[in-house]
Each structure stands twice: as C-alpha cells, then as structure tokens.
C-alpha cells in the first residue's frame, strides 16, 4: 500500500481479438475526443460538506529508537487526510516508550470533501522520528466513520482509545530488517464538523486527566512452544525473555534455557515500582521480547508480543497480620503468538499471565510471589504406531526409508543432598526440563510411501497436574537417505496432551466415586 494519496484517473477499457486490434500508428494519430459543451450541459458540482479529522494521542510502546551517533530519538504523531494534516509535539522516548497526551485536529481548516464517503482521500497516521516518517497506518474514511454494522459513529461522546500497530514505510526504509515499527494508543475519529463541535470539549478533557499511580507489575511466563531455530544450521535456540513496561526494562526476565524449542520456564518477573495511569484503558501495553542467547558479543532478537492490562488483572493487595501485603495467585494464563513486525511473520507462542498490583502507599511491602511451577506426577505414554500413508516426495526425491519419532517435553525430578542450618544432611528435590522421545524402526514394507511399522512402546513422563500446562506430543517422520548420511524431517504434526489427560481425569474420577462416593470435582487438575 502506498503511503501518499496521489489522486485517481477515469479510464475506459475494451477487450478485442488480436486481429481486430487497431494499428499502433493509427492509435497515436487519433485526435483527442472533443465535444461542444454549452452551459446547461455542464455537470453539476459534486456535493461537498465540511469534515473534521481528530485524534487523542496518548502513549507509544516499543518505538524504534536509533543507535546512531547524533540521531534524534524524539517522536511525534501526524494525522493526514489529503492535503489536510495535524501533528503532536516532539517527545523523547525512554527505552522505546513515549507519552504525548495530546489532541490533534484539523478543525482549524476548511476541510471540505464530497458527501460520498468513498470519494474522500484515505486517512493516514504517521509515526515520525525527528523529521522522518518511519512508519504509518492507513485507513479509508468509511473504516473510521462507520462501525462494522454500517452505522455512522463520527465522534463518540467519550474517546475510545485502542492500540494501533504501525507498518514500516518501505519507500523510506529507515528501519533495519526485523525492527518492530512501533505501536501507539490512539483514539481516532473522522466525521461532520457539526458533530465535532458538540463533542470537542470531551475530547480535550480526555488528554488532560492522566492521574498517575504507583504499581508493581508481575509477569508470569510458564512455557513456550514451537520457537524457531535461531542458530546456524538449524541448531535450535537458547531462549530467554525481556520485559518492557512504562519505560522500565529487565534485560533477563527469565533464565536462559539451553537448546530447547519448547522450553518449560515457570518464572516470574517483577517491576516493583512503576508509575502508570489509573484509567485501565490508558495503561501502556506490556512488551515481552524473545531473545536467543549466544556466546558472541550480542544475542539474537527473535520476536515479541504485547499484552494490554485488563480490569481483572489490576489487583489491590490484602494486608496480613504481620504488616505485609499479599497478592492472590495469577489468573489462568493464555497463549500469545510471537511476531517480529506484524502478526504471522514469525513462529512460536508463549504461555503467560500478568498482574498489576496497586501501591496506594509507596511504603507498602508485598510478599514474594509464590512459585508458579505446577506440581507434577509420574505417568506413561503408550504408543502404537501402525505406519504412514501416502507420503509425498521431499526435496524432489521420493521417500526412501521412513521412521517416526514421538517426543514430548516434560520434567524429571533431581534429588540432591544439602545441609540444613544445623549442618545435618537433607534431601532437596528439584525439577529440570527434559524431552522424552522414542523412535520406531525404519521400514519400507510394503513400500516406502506407505510403510508399516507395527511398533508398540511406552516411555515414562512426568505430567503437570494442571491441565492448562499440559504439553503437546510431537510426531515427526524421518527419512533415512544415502545410507544414513542424511536424515531429513519430511513431516510433522502435534497432538495436544490435554485431551488425553482429560480422559485420564474422568477415569480417575469414576474410580474415586465408586470407592469413596461423589466428591467435589476439580475439572482442571489431575
């Protein structure tokens, strides 16, 4: 999509057979179309009316700062519709976060456009770094003026801000590949001048009431799945996470997990004192970044995701008898997709939850958060692999000698001996992530494309008692080529373990009911 509106041309086209096409010289020699026009035949003027484009610009997150010497890291937002435009003042960003709290509008200009909404030029929102527009968002006038039901909305009585993810302006190309182009909290509206006159004061007051408050942010990261390979030659990834919020950042919010594309993390990151607005809709997004640890001078940036704080995530702590304050456990986590510049341009997902704890008194002392690592219990996976069917060629070669690998990520219990405060030995149990896997034998009977294995095996596994943390069984087809010199992965699928564990839970519940009578059911625990 272009970033500048350049007008339209009215054309007439006709499709004719090649033998009836006019000779090129004849077409060039034709005179221009002429027609005598008298006053009464002149087309009536297009009916126009006065419009206003306005925006309440609040804050920006993960703005693309420049590391060049002497480069400006001041940002401003500019809105435009055709030749009419208006912008905020420049504000300096801190760790990619910037606050404007500014109202921009074209109300001071005579913005007249056709009554037909589809003839109005497109609306642009630009993000400037210094004097350069580095990213933008483009809308049609109809997208802004009307809702999904086709009803005119114009200027709401109360501005409704939402987070807008920008796109890099490739024509200018000031950002390095993979650099996120920024996201900004904006309430954008376009409508009739009469509507703006009635709601103007409400929009002005919206950017004047910031009402800051002290908080503690807790980011709980549980698991990640299907992370992309980051090392040379498909050597996996050594993932860890960074967290940014309200201008504060934590370089290593989690520990590095070595060579694991599906790591089990179960760690909590804390920003103990951050200032943010009291209004939920104005609180900046939490930005979580995924990085790959390297032994070199710098680590590799892989991707990120954002989270908007919701009302049920803002918590008031409870005062305990000892004078400290406690925070309830986090709510059920959810999965977030990782991306680089826009949704869908990368792989992987992260299971996480968030808590924003209100600190009405700066002297409040919060208790340490409880560990989020769930309890595990021993289990076993039974696999009966009959065979593969209808395997298609891979890398232009037919399948030669296939086998199937089954793998699931879990933990294993480590027991070590330590001394207590009195010097007496004691056992300490800890869990470490581990991948459990089994392979079938290779087979090419009756033929490699439809090979039969008829293999049955089991492998032990420690499964989380909370179904929300159940992993996935990864099934891969491996083709052995060149006498074992090449073993490419020619196909892959995943099976959620949650559905299997739910069946186990129902069976155990039936046994318990028969032995002890009906008891209180916990639908999410084994």
């Amino acid at each position: 999509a272009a970033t500048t509106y350049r007008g339209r041309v009215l054309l007439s086209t006709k499709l004719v057979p090649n033998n009836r096409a006019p000779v090129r010289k004849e077409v060039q020699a034709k005179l221009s179309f002429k027609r005598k026009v008298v006053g009464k035949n002149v087309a009536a003027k297009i009916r126009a009316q006065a419009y206003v484009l306005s925006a309440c610009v609040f804050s920006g997150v993960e703005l693309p700062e420049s590391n060049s010497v002497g480069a400006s890291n001041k940002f401003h937002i500019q809105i435009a519709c055709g030749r009419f435009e208006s912008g905020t003042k420049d504000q300096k960003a801190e760790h990619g976060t910037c606050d404007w709290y500014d109202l921009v509008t074209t109300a001071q200009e005579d913005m007249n456009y056709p009554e037909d909404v589809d003839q109005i030029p497109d609306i642009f929102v630009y993000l400037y770094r210094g004097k350069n527009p580095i990213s933008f968002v483009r809308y049609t006038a109809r997208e802004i003026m009307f809702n999904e039901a086709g009803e005119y909305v114009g200027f709401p009585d109360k501005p409704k801000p939402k987070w807008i993810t920008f796109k890099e302006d490739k024509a200018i190309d000031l950002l390095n590949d993979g650099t996120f182009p920024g996201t900004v909290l904006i309430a954008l509206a376009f409508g009739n001048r009469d509507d703006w006159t009635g709601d103007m004061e409400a929009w002005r007051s919206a950017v004047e009431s910031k009402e800051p408050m002290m908080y503690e942010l807790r980011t709980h990261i549980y698991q990640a799945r299907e992370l992309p390979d980051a090392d040379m030659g498909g050597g996996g990834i050594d993932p860890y996470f960074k967290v940014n919020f309200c201008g504060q950042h934590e370089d290593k919010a989690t520990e590095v997990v070595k060579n694991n594309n599906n790591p089990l993390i179960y760690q909590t990151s804390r920003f103990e004192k951050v200032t943010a607005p009291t209004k939920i809709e104005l609180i900046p997004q939490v930005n979580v970044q995924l990085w790959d640890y390297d032994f070199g001078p710098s680590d590799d940036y892989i991707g990120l995701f954002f989270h908007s704080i919701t009302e049920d995530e803002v918590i008031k702590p409870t005062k305990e008898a000892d004078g400290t304050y406690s925070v309830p456990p986090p709510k059920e986590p959810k999965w977030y997709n990782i991306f680089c510049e826009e949704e869908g341009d990368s792989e992987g997902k992260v299971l996480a939850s968030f808590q924003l704890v209100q600190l009405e008194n700066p002297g409040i002392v919060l208790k340490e958060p409880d560990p989020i690592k769930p309890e595990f219990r021993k289990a076993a996976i039974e696999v009966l692999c009959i065979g593969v069917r209808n395997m298609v060629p891979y890398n232009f070669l037919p399948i030669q000698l296939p086998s199937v690998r089954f793998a699931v990520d879990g933990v294993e219990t480590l027991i070590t001996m330590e001394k207590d405060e009195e010097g007496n030995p004691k056992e300490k149990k800890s869990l470490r992530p581990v991948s459990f896997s089994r392979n079938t034998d290779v087979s090419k009977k009756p033929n490699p494309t439809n090979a039969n294995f008829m293999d049955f095996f089991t492998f032990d596994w420690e499964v989380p008692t909370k179904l929300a943390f159940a992993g996935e069984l990864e099934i891969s087809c491996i083709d052995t080529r060149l006498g074992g010199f090449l073993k490419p992965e020619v196909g892959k699928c995943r099976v959620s373990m949650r559905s299997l564990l739910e069946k186990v839970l129902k069976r155990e519940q039936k046994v318990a009911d028969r032995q002890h009578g009906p008891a209180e059911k916990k639908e999410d625990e084994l």
Side-chain angles (χ1 to χ4, degrees):
T3 56
T4 304
Y5 181 78
R6 295 180 174 87
R8 285 180 276 193
V9 177
L10 184 63
L11 299 175
S12 176
T13 60
K14 185 178 182 181
L15 186 65
V16 297
N18 189 48
N19 57 2
R20 294 176 55 192
V23 181
R24 189 176 186 84
K25 292 182 179 179
E26 294 179 1
V27 175
Q28 292 176 342
K30 282 189 175 181
L31 298 175
S32 302
F33 172 78
K34 292 183 179 180
R35 178 180 178 184
K36 187 176 180 180
V37 178
V38 295
K40 64 179 181 179
N41 291 330
V42 175
K45 281 189 175 182
I46 297 177
R47 299 180 60 181
Q49 67 179 34
Y51 293 96
V52 173
L53 174 64
S54 300
C56 288
V57 185
F58 297 97
S59 58
V61 176
E62 200 57 25
L63 304 181
E65 296 178 281
S66 175
N67 296 324
S68 302
V69 178
S72 173
N73 278 323
K74 290 185 176 181
F75 293 84
H76 74 269
I77 298 294
Q78 184 167 299
I79 59 175
C81 181
R83 64 183 181 87
F84 301 98
E85 57 186 31
S86 181
T88 67
K89 296 179 180 179
D90 278 333
Q91 295 292 344
K92 185 174 178 59
E94 294 184 9
H95 302 299
T97 301
C98 188
D99 289 337
W100 290 282
Y101 281 81
D102 200 356
L103 172 65
V104 291
T105 179
T106 62
Q108 67 276 11
E109 301 186 65
D110 293 329
M111 188 176 178
N112 295 313
Y113 278 125
E115 289 184 355
D116 183 359
V117 177
D118 295 324
Q119 296 188 34
I120 299 175
D122 285 353
I123 295 168
F124 289 88
V125 182
Y126 295 97
L127 174 63
Y128 276 74
R129 186 175 65 195
K131 296 181 180 180
N132 300 312
I134 56 176
S135 53
F136 72 99
V137 182
R138 181 176 184 171
Y139 302 97
T140 64
R142 181 174 294 278
E143 289 175 329
I144 303 297
M145 293 181 66
F146 297 88
N147 59 21
E148 295 180 355
E151 300 169 340
Y152 174 77
V153 292
F155 297 94
D157 296 338
K158 181 181 178 182
K160 298 178 181 179
K162 66 176 183 178
W163 289 97
I164 296 176
T165 300
F166 284 74
K167 294 182 178 180
E168 181 188 359
D169 192 334
K170 299 293 185 180
I172 300 176
D173 196 24
L174 291 178
L175 302 181
N176 296 327
D177 292 342
T179 301
F180 184 71
T183 179
V184 177
L185 182 63
I186 296 179
L188 182 66
F190 181 76
N192 303 327
R193 179 174 290 274
D194 293 340
D195 296 339
W196 169 249
T197 303
D199 298 319
M200 178 173 53
E201 292 303 321
W203 280 63
R204 284 179 177 170
S205 61
V207 297
E208 295 174 354
S209 56
K210 189 175 180 180
E211 301 176 4
M213 186 175 184
M214 194 75 72
Y215 296 93
E216 175 178 308
L217 174 69
R218 296 184 176 185
T219 303
H220 309 283
I221 300 179
Y222 300 85
Q223 305 175 10
R225 291 181 187 167
E226 304 171 30
L227 300 184
D229 291 333
D231 297 328
M232 294 293 291
I237 183 175
D238 305 317
Y240 70 91
F241 291 88
K242 296 181 179 182
V243 179
N244 300 322
F245 181 64
C246 288
Q248 296 191 27
H249 70 287
E250 189 170 3
D251 283 340
K252 283 190 176 174
T254 65
E255 298 176 358
V256 177
V257 181
K258 293 292 186 180
N259 194 25
N260 197 323
N261 297 72
N262 301 282
L264 302 178
I265 300 168
Y266 300 118
Q267 295 178 32
T268 297
S269 167
R270 299 174 67 186
F271 285 145
E272 295 189 2
K273 289 185 179 180
V274 291
T275 302
T278 54
K279 293 183 178 180
I280 305 297
E281 64 271 17
L282 300 183
I283 296 177
Q285 286 181 308
V286 184
N287 168 237
V288 182
Q289 298 179 356
L290 170 65
W291 288 74
D292 172 51
Y293 174 79
D294 286 330
F295 290 106
S298 61
D299 298 339
D300 296 328
Y301 167 73
I302 306 301
L304 51 72
F305 70 87
F306 292 93
H307 174 73
S308 298
I309 298 295
T310 57
E311 188 173 354
D312 59 344
E313 292 170 338
V314 179
I315 300 168
K316 289 185 177 180
T318 303
K319 189 173 183 179
E320 303 292 341
D322 59 358
T324 60
Y325 288 78
S326 62
V327 177
K331 68 172 190 176
E332 191 83 0
K334 60 179 271 190
W335 289 98
Y336 298 85
N337 292 323
I338 295 172
F339 61 95
C340 289
E341 297 183 33
E342 56 186 34
E343 287 279 356
D345 65 0
S346 186
E347 300 175 356
K349 55 184 178 180
V350 180
L351 184 65
S353 65
F354 300 84
Q355 292 177 300
L356 193 62
V357 185
Q358 294 179 342
L359 303 178
E360 297 179 353
N361 183 350
I364 287 179
V365 178
L366 297 178
K367 287 186 175 181
E368 290 288 326
D370 294 329
I372 60 173
K373 185 178 294 184
E375 294 182 0
F376 288 79
R377 56 175 286 186
K378 291 185 179 297
I381 299 177
E382 294 183 349
V383 177
L384 172 60
C385 183
I386 297 175
V388 294
R389 297 293 181 267
N390 302 322
M391 299 296 294
V392 298
Y394 178 78
N395 282 351
F396 306 105
L397 291 176
I399 303 300
Q400 299 177 20
L401 197 59
S403 62
V404 177
R405 180 178 66 226
F406 298 84
V408 64
D409 289 303
V411 299
E412 67 177 1
T413 303
L414 298 179
I415 301 177
T416 56
M417 299 301 296
E418 294 184 351
K419 292 184 178 181
D420 58 18
E421 297 178 355
E422 299 178 356
N424 299 321
K426 67 173 184 178
E427 285 188 354
K428 180 183 178 181
K429 293 184 178 181
S430 60
L431 300 173
R432 73 170 183 181
V434 65
S435 180
F436 302 94
S437 63
R438 288 291 300 269
N439 289 59
T440 67
D441 295 330
V442 296
S443 174
K444 57 179 180 180
K445 295 180 179 180
N447 59 71
T449 303
N450 299 282
N452 291 328
F453 303 107
M454 301 305 295
D455 205 346
F456 175 81
F457 53 81
T458 65
F459 52 91
D460 294 332
W461 180 44
E462 293 203 26
V463 56
T465 56
K466 282 274 188 181
L467 296 184
F469 306 131
E472 293 180 322
L473 179 65
E474 182 180 277
I475 306 174
S476 306
C477 184
I478 312 297
D479 190 25
T480 302
R481 299 179 174 181
L482 298 178
F485 183 74
L486 291 179
K487 293 185 177 181
E489 184 181 72
V490 298
K492 179 190 290 186
C493 70
R494 292 178 176 271
V495 177
S496 172
M497 297 301 297
R498 178 163 187 155
S499 59
L500 299 177
L501 294 175
E502 285 175 344
K503 296 178 181 179
V504 176
L505 178 62
K506 291 179 180 179
R507 287 200 302 266
E508 291 184 345
Q509 188 69 49
K510 290 180 179 179
V511 173
D513 290 346
R514 286 198 299 266
Q515 293 178 349
H516 309 291
E520 182 180 354
K521 295 183 180 180
K522 295 184 178 180
E523 297 181 353
D524 62 342
E525 289 190 12
L526 289 175

